[in-house]
Amino acid sequence: MQNDLFGFFFAFLGGCIICFINFLISRGVLLHRAKLFSTISIIHQVLNVGYLAALYFIADNTPWSLIYLLIGGALGATLPMLYFTGKLLKLSDSAKKREQNTIIED
């Protein structure tokens, strides 16, 4: 049981890294090509599903239970989104205000 919690923790950390990578991709697209923002959801899904599939396939080669790995990975990939979504919303709002200011000045 305690050994499985280590697997949960490591999978959770890996999921947090995947979530951070998704945030970086979203931030980059939002800053440079905001109109393409909705099209990058497929990239997010591929990263998330690929990570969970990798956990599934490597679970037999680890001392940890598959269930603990998958739950840790899923939580790690979704819980940090609560924080990162707020940051992206603030970034989007400031970009819209900047855009409106430039339109008014022209």
Side-chain angles (χ1 to χ4, degrees):
M1 176 67 182
Q2 184 179 4
N3 194 19
D4 289 334
L5 291 178
F6 286 120
F8 173 87
F9 178 71
F10 288 126
F12 182 83
L13 285 179
C16 288
I17 291 169
I18 294 296
C19 191
F20 182 69
I21 291 169
N22 281 335
F23 166 72
L24 292 177
I25 292 169
S26 296
R27 187 183 69 179
V29 170
L30 193 58
L31 289 174
H32 300 292
R33 301 223 176 190
K35 292 183 181 187
L36 296 177
F37 187 74
S38 62
T39 60
I40 62 166
S41 65
I42 189 72
I43 296 170
H44 297 306
Q45 292 301 318
V46 167
L47 284 173
N48 290 338
V49 171
Y51 177 65
L52 292 175
L55 286 176
Y56 177 81
F57 289 116
I58 68 166
D60 289 340
N61 299 325
T62 66
W64 306 309
S65 169
L66 170 66
I67 298 300
Y68 282 89
L69 287 176
L70 289 178
I71 291 173
L75 286 175
T78 56
L79 286 180
M81 271 196 311
L82 297 173
Y83 173 71
F84 291 135
T85 300
K87 288 183 70 80
L88 287 172
L89 285 173
K90 287 179 185 176
L91 184 66
S92 175
D93 288 343
S94 67
K96 284 181 185 177
K97 287 179 184 175
R98 250 184 286 127
E99 183 178 306
Q100 288 175 351
N101 288 341
T102 58
I103 290 173
I104 293 171
E105 290 174 1
D106 290 337

